[in-house]
Structures are given as C-alpha cells and as structure tokens.
Amino acid sequence: MLPRLVSNLAALLALTTTLVPVQAGPLCFAVESATACVYSTQDAGDALIRIEYPPQLGWVAFGLGTGMNSADVMMAYALPDGSISITRRSSSGHFLPTLASTQDLTITNSSSSSSGNVVTFRRPLAAASASTPSIQQSTQPLIWAGYTGSPPTSPGAIPQHTVSGVASGNLLDGSMAFAHSSPSAPPPTIVTGDDGSRDRRLRIIHGTLMAFAWVGLAPAAILIARFGKKALGVWWFRIHFTLFGLCAALTYAAFAIVYRVVADTGENHYDYSASGIHVILGLLVVILTAPQAFLGIVIDKLWSPTRKSIPWRDKLHWWLGRLTFLLAVINIPFGIALFYRDDNNNNRPAWPYILYALLLGAAVVAFVGLAIKSRREAAGHHVAVASNDNTGHKDDRRGQLDRPTSAQTLDPARDIP
C-alpha cells in the first residue's frame, strides 16, 4: 500500500513539474542607467536568441567566451529604417571584434522605436572559428558590452563600449527562455560590469613607469657610467647602481600592473595576435633586466685595480645593457599604438609620440655631446704624451688606454669603451 502511494505521488510530482513553466532567467546587464536583456533557448537545432535594449543605447553585444581574447560575439544596433542589424563577430583581443567570414544569423523579428529595440534571431550552435567556443548544452561563460550614444553608422565604425562585463548561462536548456508573458516569472537579476576606466588608468601607469624607466633613468645611468667616472670618482658606481636599480624596480612594477590588467580581461598574457610585437619585446626586456642588474653587482664585487685587461663579464654587461636598452626604446612606440588602439579606435593623438621623440632625442644629444668632448680630451692627452716623449717619436697610445700594465692602477674612467 505504502509503496504504491509513494509511487503515485512521485508520478504526480513529475507530471506537475512538466506542467510548470520554466522560469525565465535572462542575462540582463546595466549600461549606466539603461538595462539590456538577452534571452535564449534551443529551437529546431539552433539557438533562438532575443535581445532587448532601450533607445539610449547605441549598440549592445554579448558573446560566448571568458574574455575578449577569444569570443564569438553577436552585436545589435538600430538602423535608420526602424529595423535592427545583428552581426556575428570574432574577438581576438581587447579591440573591435572583426566580422565573421560567414554571417549566419537569421532574424525572425526586429523593431526599433522610442519605446525600445528588440531583435529575435536564430544562430547555429557551431563556433564562428576554430578559436572561438560553440554553444553547448551546459552553463557557459558569457561576455557582454553596451554603448551609450547614437547607433553606429556602419559595421566598421563601432564606438568603444561604455561598459562591459562577464556572466554565465545556459543558452539551450530553457533557463534563459523568453517569459515576459508569465506572471510568475521572477524579476531578472541585473549584472553590472566595468566601464574600463580602472584598466585604462592602470595601462597609463604601466606605460608611464616604463617610459620613465627607459627614457629617463636608463639613459642617465648609461651616461654616468660612460662619461662620469672621472668627475664623480667613487660616486659614479653608486649613482649608476641607484639609477639602474630604480629602472629595474619600475620595470617589474609596470610588468606586474599590466599582468594584472590582462588577467582581469581574461586574455592571454603573451598573445602575439592580440597585442602584436609589443608583448614580445616587453617580455624580452623583463627577462633581460634582472641578469643585467645582477651582472653589474658581480662585476663591482670582482673588480681589481691590478687587472691587466677588461674581463669578458664586463663586456657582456656592456652589450647586454645596450641590447636591453635598445629593445625597450623600440618597444615604447609599439606600446603607445597598442594603448590607443585598445582605448579608442578613432582617436590616436600624436603628442605621446612627439614627447617620446623629444625625450629620447635629448638623451641622444647628451650622449653625442659627451662623446665628442671625451674624444677631444683624449686627443689632447695623447698630444701631451707625444710632445714629452724623450725618444722624439710620436706615440699614439689610444690602443693602450684600456690595457694598463701591471705597474698601473686601472683608471675606472676607462672601464667602459
């Protein structure tokens, strides 16, 4: 008796469950004071998706993926004729996603009016490319974005988002199905995102630290080591060490900042396709800075006033420093270009490049001027030596400057060629 009763109750509960409508749980996200919602369910082997957003938003988009480095994006914006454009795009970095080669989104209904914009469309479950995810029968990570302002004038002229964020959901199991007509549907949860201002500030700090380190501190450290030994005496190394130590510290601080920014966006830290050559050159600078600093400390500890020649480790320090400095100054313009590409596709001011060129030019002028002065002083010294030669022969000893005899004390001013 009891088993049959339990069985009947279970069957009744199962039947009741099938009759209760699925509660809608759309992805609703806030773009400043406006709210946009995305609904989805499976229909005849496709995803049937509905996007609703108010007219103060120029465009809205959502996609499958954990970040902008690899996402399958669907973007909607109103057209002048009162319909809605929906395009499928592939994202490979923190910039405008490119149009997919195949535009296979089929609109079933769309309208644009002062009361709001709505577009319903079908989307195949397959991914747009091998690098982007497909729609699965499971909860998946989603990204979203919206722009406050006028709609785009063309598919290639999309202004940067006002706010973006991440979420998750199952696009196929009915949990995100459209259910406005159901009086029992709970109010949707509205997710909030980031307007990008924090990441923008951190990217600016990253670039400022790197520029100050390699266009300010590094050239000063090099000039002191190359031309300041005679004037500064024992202080040349202390100042050189301090300046380059600060350069190394700022380099690693800047690296940590941008590493955190990239981690927050979900992108690949060393993705050449997304960040170009800047990420490769920057990584080389970060890798080479530590051994260059360590080598300088070792050289100082092993220096001997009675040595007869310049050791290989000194020469390695010279050339490793030159290589690291060259990579850094080459990489800074690439970083400026990458920042403005990510920050605003339509605004790339010239002043950062001009400022960089002026600072680097000042360092070059200082180096050339001091090099000419040093050569003149060396030439005057050789003339004096030749005029005092008891043999009456002119002796050009420029080749001897860096090779003192065992009876000489090595002049630290000759330590770097």
Side-chain angles (χ1 to χ4, degrees):
M1 181 74 180
L2 183 60
R4 177 174 294 182
L5 178 61
V6 171
S7 177
N8 290 337
L9 287 175
L12 180 61
L13 179 61
L15 178 61
T16 304
T17 302
T18 61
L19 296 176
V20 173
V22 176
Q23 301 299 308
L27 166 60
C28 291
F29 50 89
V31 183
E32 295 184 330
S33 60
T35 300
C37 289
V38 177
Y39 301 85
S40 179
T41 189
Q42 187 169 10
D43 183 69
D46 292 330
L48 183 63
I49 300 171
R50 177 187 176 97
I51 299 177
E52 298 180 346
Y53 65 97
Q56 60 261 46
L57 298 184
W59 62 261
V60 295
F62 89 102
L64 283 81
T66 57
M68 290 288 287
N69 63 308
S70 179
D72 193 331
V73 178
M74 287 141 281
M75 178 180 289
Y77 59 88
L79 297 174
D81 63 2
S83 63
I84 302 292
S85 169
I86 183 77
T87 56
R88 190 172 183 182
R89 296 169 178 264
S90 297
S91 173
S92 59
H94 196 66
F95 47 91
L96 178 64
T98 58
L99 288 168
S101 56
T102 302
Q103 292 297 314
D104 50 3
L105 305 180
T106 304
I107 296 177
T108 61
N109 182 40
S110 73
S111 65
S112 175
S113 67
S114 59
S115 60
N117 302 312
V118 179
V119 58
T120 304
F121 60 95
R122 307 177 70 90
R123 204 213 90 156
L125 305 185
S129 66
S131 62
T132 57
S134 60
I135 299 180
Q136 304 291 330
Q137 183 65 264
S138 61
T139 300
Q140 294 180 268
L142 305 172
I143 63 172
W144 57 266
Y147 167 73
T148 303
S150 301
T153 55
S154 70
I158 309 294
Q160 187 185 24
H161 60 257
T162 304
V163 179
S164 64
V166 295
S168 62
N170 191 320
L171 301 179
L172 302 180
D173 68 351
S175 61
M176 293 178 60
F178 179 70
H180 273 186
S181 59
S182 173
S184 60
T189 300
I190 302 175
V191 298
T192 58
D194 179 23
D195 63 1
S197 59
R198 171 183 169 274
D199 284 357
R200 187 177 188 275
R201 288 194 299 268
L202 291 178
R203 290 175 190 267
I204 291 175
I205 294 172
H206 163 81
T208 302
L209 292 180
M210 281 296 197
F212 181 67
W214 291 101
V215 188
L217 297 176
I222 293 170
L223 290 173
I224 287 173
R226 180 66 180 86
F227 303 110
K229 293 180 178 179
K230 185 176 180 180
L232 295 172
V234 296
W235 278 94
W236 81 265
F237 178 78
R238 298 170 187 175
I239 298 174
H240 172 79
F241 176 80
T242 300
L243 290 175
F244 192 78
L246 288 173
C247 175
L250 293 181
T251 296
Y252 287 106
F255 173 73
I257 288 171
V258 80
Y259 192 94
R260 174 60 185 271
V261 170
V262 175
D264 289 345
T265 63
E267 300 172 14
N268 187 328
H269 289 89
Y270 310 111
D271 188 353
Y272 174 82
S273 63
S275 301
I277 193 65
H278 179 73
V279 69
I280 304 301
L281 296 180
L283 182 60
L284 289 175
V285 170
V286 169
I287 292 173
L288 295 177
T289 296
Q292 170 67 358
F294 178 75
L295 193 56
I297 297 173
V298 171
I299 289 171
D300 177 63
K301 298 299 182 183
L302 298 180
W303 182 81
S304 171
T306 60
R307 68 188 191 184
K308 298 180 180 180
S309 62
I310 300 175
W312 64 268
R313 56 183 176 270
D314 292 53
K315 297 179 181 179
L316 176 61
H317 183 63
W318 302 342
W319 288 102
L320 187 60
R322 291 164 180 164
L323 174 62
T324 308
F325 176 71
L326 183 63
L327 291 174
V329 297
I330 290 175
N331 200 34
I332 290 173
F334 287 112
I336 296 172
L338 182 62
F339 171 78
Y340 282 108
R341 185 199 70 180
D342 291 351
D343 184 58
N344 192 325
N345 291 290
N346 301 316
N347 181 22
R348 299 184 183 182
W351 71 263
Y353 298 98
I354 296 174
L355 178 61
Y356 165 74
L358 291 174
L359 294 175
L360 184 60
V364 171
V365 169
F367 186 90
V368 172
L370 290 172
I372 293 174
K373 179 182 177 182
S374 178
R375 285 183 177 274
R376 287 176 177 174
E377 291 177 351
H381 171 75
H382 295 318
V383 170
V385 170
S387 64
N388 293 326
D389 192 337
N390 293 330
T391 64
H393 297 290
K394 291 183 178 180
D395 184 12
D396 183 0
R397 302 189 181 191
R398 283 175 292 181
Q400 305 293 328
L401 289 179
D402 287 324
R403 298 182 182 275
T405 63
S406 58
Q408 291 176 311
T409 298
L410 190 68
D411 183 353
R414 301 169 183 166
D415 230 3
I416 295 181

